[in-house]
Amino acid sequence: MTNSAKPIKKDSSAHVTHGNTLDPNQSGLRQGLPIYGDKDFSLFLRKAFIKGAGYTDSALERPVIGIANTGSSYNPCHGNMPQLLEAVKRGIMLAGGLPMEFPTISLHESFATPTSMYLRNLMSMDTEEMLRAQPMDAVVLIGGCDKTVPAQLMGAASAGLPAIQLITGSMLTGSHRSERVGACTDCRRYWAKYRAGEIDEEQKNEVNNQLVASVGTCSVMGTASTMACIAEALGMTVPGGASPPAVTADRIRVAEETGRRAVQMAHDRLTIDQILTADAFENAMRVLLAIGGSTNGIVHLAAIAGRVGLEIDLNALDQMGNETPVLLDLKPSGQHYMEHFHDAGGMATLLRELKPLLKLNAMTVTGKTLGEEIDAAGPGFAQDVVRPFSKPIYPRGSIAILYGNLAPGGAVIKQSAADERLMEHIGRAVVFENTEDLVNRIDSEDLDVTADDILVLKQIGPKGAPGMPEAGYMPIPKKLARAGVKDMVRISDGRMSGTAFGTIVLHITPESAIGGPLAYVEEGDQIQLSVKNRQISLLISDDELAKRMQARPISPPTAERGYHKLFLDTVTQADQGVDFDFLRAVNMTGKTPRSK
Ligand code: FES
């Protein structure tokens, strides 16, 4: 962290700021001057240029609030950016600040090859360095689509400024032949129906028009919604900032309030390190488990925590799952969509239910603790989207951590979206060496596969693909799909979309591309999955595994130049968040969660 923690002023909950309380010599446009060897000249020059845009001296004396604009024609999940920017600026100016909008990289899941995850760290570096390079007393980060919020939180955590997250908000659901549909659980469901021959080309095209009914992020508990809830649980959004859909007045009001808060945070020097504490991460993990959140949430949390010197303790996270049932009834674990979560009171309803398990003293962007904000939200009302503890939609946390000779560094399974019947299973490995091999053979009539086999996919880890794509959700082979098979055990070192479902083991660490045991699984080997025992094992002897490793040593992939080289040379494994090793905090100071 570059900025040392400073105490929060007692009146930090005040909403409107009168006058500039910041040190005039170390704030606003006077900070971070370019080096010409003459500071006064640097400021003189800066002011001359900004006045070219018509600013007055009086405007330029205000606290400067940066706004990271991630609007892009390639990113419909951020399609409400113009309205959000207007509202954030309004909030900033109402509170006496000067809004300064600037662009950063924007990433959309469907418009980034080989995968958006490959570019998340680049976006985080862009965000961090723009926060450092440009003068600002606080920053509003506007993100929504899967990788954008993690990238912004990672970058801001390293830059160390007062920072507040604004979520773009979820899309509305659509209607296909009277059935409510939304991206992307229903995208997968309808695609599976098409593959199985249950719907024809015409119906496939028809539903394609309805799956994304407005701008905004995916409408189920995928990675975007997961990260929105996590951002609020971390204390990084205004209360209620996670759930309003993108096109609603509530979302615009959240944007205005976010702008106001940013100004107060600048005055209070409420820096991000005061919010992103071990307790905050524990709260975020608790929420991740209780919402049936995306497995990607673990990877992103590990990366954000790594920026502030904290390791995620996967064993402790797994134990938290024993006492944290899934309470949120959203797809893919349940039945509702994000707009229903918002109608049910959003995160306040969930946090109120989880309150006995939360670290209530964790600080938030409002200058109040999470506990104070839960109390301020009031008593709640009758609804059926967030269940009480006595009636969960799944009795344990959504995610379990697995270990074994196939995953010495751990693996994950989203047990709440898996088939109970397959969670204790021994099967024969049907092995695909990489995604190309999968594409070429998965639908072949000659493929030797039954519903009891275990599909194994290699080379989709952080270095393998590269970028750990969401290819872990392997399709059911067509001939089995046509016969009615809906789920099989599938294992890989990759990720899967938070909108997906099935008995799917992911994030196997270390990955196959660097010689992890997964690389040595052979066709016909027996593999055992036991979620009850938290085990994923290749049923061969240690000697046999060692013999295979010796016979076929693996060199990690390399690249000659550019970002590809930087990525392959420095990317870490899933347990460290797939961040670049040089971006993690210099001093790792502890683990989170700490309670178990
Ligand atoms: Fe952007 Fe799903 S593609 S949130």
Side-chain angles (χ1 to χ4, degrees):
M1 307 296 291
T2 51
N3 290 335
S4 58
K6 293 187 183 162
I8 300 163
K9 286 186 179 173
K10 282 208 174 69
D11 65 348
S12 60
S13 62
H15 281 282
V16 180
T17 301
H18 302 286
N20 190 348
T21 62
L22 295 168
D23 178 348
N25 293 316
Q26 292 183 37
S27 64
L29 291 188
R30 289 180 177 78
Q31 61 195 315
L33 292 163
I35 297 170
Y36 292 118
D38 179 344
K39 273 187 159 185
D40 292 339
F41 175 65
S42 296
L43 181 61
F44 173 75
L45 211 55
R46 173 176 280 176
K47 280 186 137 182
F49 277 110
I50 199 73
K51 282 180 178 174
Y55 287 89
T56 60
D57 278 315
S58 140
L60 298 176
E61 288 306 312
R62 293 178 173 215
V64 175
I65 310 299
I67 310 172
N69 173 359
T70 52
S72 160
S73 298
Y74 289 104
N75 196 344
C77 298
H78 295 194
N80 56 345
M81 194 61 63
Q83 293 80 16
L84 294 180
L85 285 167
E86 185 187 329
V88 171
K89 287 178 183 173
R90 182 167 70 239
I92 291 170
M93 288 194 283
L94 284 169
L98 175 64
M100 296 286 279
E101 166 196 339
F102 61 96
T104 73
I105 291 172
S106 186
L107 297 172
H108 184 277
E109 290 304 290
S110 290
F111 289 94
T113 189
T115 169
S116 62
M117 186 65 171
Y118 177 66
L119 297 160
R120 183 203 62 180
N121 297 348
L122 184 63
M123 182 176 173
S124 85
M125 291 168 74
D126 179 5
T127 304
E128 175 182 345
E129 296 309 327
M130 288 300 100
L131 264 53
R132 285 188 201 285
Q134 301 170 137
M136 61 188 83
D137 299 300
V139 64
V140 176
L141 308 159
I142 311 182
C145 196
D146 293 17
K147 307 303 177 295
T148 59
V149 171
Q152 291 184 321
L153 290 175
M154 290 159 70
S158 296
L161 291 172
I164 185 168
Q165 184 76 55
L166 173 62
I167 303 295
T168 58
S170 60
M171 62 183 70
L172 299 180
T173 53
S175 176
H176 173 62
R177 300 187 179 181
S178 272
E179 185 197 0
R180 189 186 286 269
V181 291
C184 232
T185 303
D186 297 321
C187 312
R188 294 173 203 288
R189 196 162 56 79
Y190 270 91
W191 188 250
K193 282 184 185 213
Y194 176 64
R195 279 175 58 80
E198 292 171 23
I199 62 168
D200 59 15
E201 188 80 14
E202 190 189 339
Q203 204 184 148
K204 181 198 78 174
N205 293 338
E206 213 179 292
V207 76
N208 191 253
N209 281 334
Q210 296 303 321
L211 287 163
V212 178
S214 75
V215 296
T217 58
C218 288
S219 53
V220 298
M221 190 45 74
T223 304
S225 303
T226 299
M227 291 311 300
C229 295
I230 278 180
E232 186 167 344
L234 283 169
M236 286 300 301
T237 74
V238 296
S243 62
V247 296
T248 58
D250 278 350
R251 175 54 63 197
I252 301 300
R253 276 188 283 272
V254 164
E256 182 186 303
E257 179 59 15
T258 300
R260 282 177 187 267
R261 276 309 315 166
V263 179
Q264 192 62 49
M265 290 174 76
H267 283 287
D268 295 341
R269 291 300 295 160
L270 180 49
T271 47
I272 194 167
D273 53 317
Q274 297 171 68
I275 297 170
L276 294 183
T277 60
D279 284 350
F281 284 103
E282 184 172 326
N283 288 336
M285 284 183 259
R286 192 71 75 184
V287 163
L288 172 68
L289 293 165
I291 61 178
S294 164
T295 45
N296 291 323
I298 296 180
V299 179
H300 297 317
L301 271 173
I304 300 163
R307 297 298 184 97
V308 294
L310 293 168
E311 301 263 7
I312 299 287
D313 183 339
L314 291 176
N315 275 316
L317 170 65
D318 186 77
Q319 285 171 41
M320 281 171 73
N322 294 331
E323 61 195 26
T324 316
V326 178
L327 300 178
L328 186 55
D329 191 2
L330 247 64
K331 290 192 176 195
S333 299
Q335 54 170 329
H336 295 294
Y337 294 86
M338 275 302 276
E339 61 202 59
H340 305 125
F341 181 35
H342 183 58
D343 293 344
M347 283 292 286
T349 307
L350 182 82
L351 293 173
R352 194 181 296 116
E353 200 60 41
L354 284 178
K355 194 176 171 190
L357 298 176
L358 295 172
K359 298 288 187 189
L360 298 173
N361 285 329
M363 180 52 60
T364 77
V365 288
T366 64
K368 294 180 183 168
T369 64
L370 189 69
E372 288 171 324
E373 290 297 353
I374 294 171
D375 291 344
F381 49 85
Q383 48 79 41
D384 64 355
V385 180
V386 179
R387 300 275 190 85
F389 257 77
S390 54
K391 217 175 128 211
I393 75 153
Y394 190 75
R396 296 175 292 282
S398 55
I399 294 169
I401 308 295
L402 310 172
Y403 289 94
N405 66 351
L406 254 184
V412 307
I413 184 168
K414 189 170 183 178
Q415 53 180 345
S416 61
D419 185 338
E420 193 76 37
R421 192 179 48 87
L422 291 171
M423 293 212 285
E424 303 298 317
H425 186 75
I426 295 178
R428 187 184 62 136
V430 175
V431 179
F432 299 94
E433 292 298 328
N434 50 45
T435 49
E436 202 184 341
D437 186 27
L438 178 82
V439 169
N440 288 338
R441 293 196 297 122
I442 188 76
D443 289 337
S444 163
E445 291 298 324
D446 298 335
L447 184 69
D448 179 12
V449 65
T450 73
D452 290 331
D453 291 335
I454 294 182
L455 303 182
V456 177
L457 178 56
K458 303 177 185 176
Q459 296 287 334
I460 58 165
K463 294 194 190 212
M468 209 180 177
E470 291 183 339
Y473 179 73
M474 284 169 256
I476 302 294
K478 222 172 203 168
K479 65 180 182 183
L480 296 182
R482 279 199 300 261
V485 176
K486 301 280 187 228
D487 194 8
M488 293 174 72
V489 177
R490 287 158 272 180
I491 72 173
S492 74
D493 45 13
R495 298 177 301 116
M496 80 171 180
S497 164
T499 63
F501 47 88
T503 313
I504 301 175
V505 177
L506 304 154
H507 310 183
I508 285 189
T509 303
E511 65 173 303
S512 54
I514 62 170
L518 183 69
Y520 300 97
V521 178
E522 295 179 358
E523 191 83 7
D525 282 345
Q526 294 284 303
I527 291 176
Q528 180 171 20
L529 167 67
S530 171
V531 178
K532 188 174 64 180
N533 295 328
R534 300 295 193 257
Q535 182 194 347
I536 182 74
S537 301
L538 181 61
L539 300 181
I540 62 172
S541 68
D542 291 349
D543 283 354
E544 172 62 19
L545 183 57
K547 213 187 301 170
R548 290 184 190 181
M549 287 178 159
Q550 212 169 17
R552 195 161 55 84
I554 287 173
S555 308
T558 56
E560 288 196 345
R561 62 165 298 282
Y563 181 70
H564 193 189
K565 177 172 168 53
L566 178 73
F567 190 97
L568 291 179
D569 287 352
T570 64
V571 76
T572 58
Q573 293 290 287
D575 56 344
Q576 296 194 358
V578 195
D579 200 1
F580 295 154
D581 54 13
F582 64 91
L583 292 176
R584 283 161 64 82
V586 175
N587 297 314
M588 298 305 284
T589 54
K591 289 191 172 190
T592 180
R594 295 183 301 196
S595 63
K596 289 285 164 188

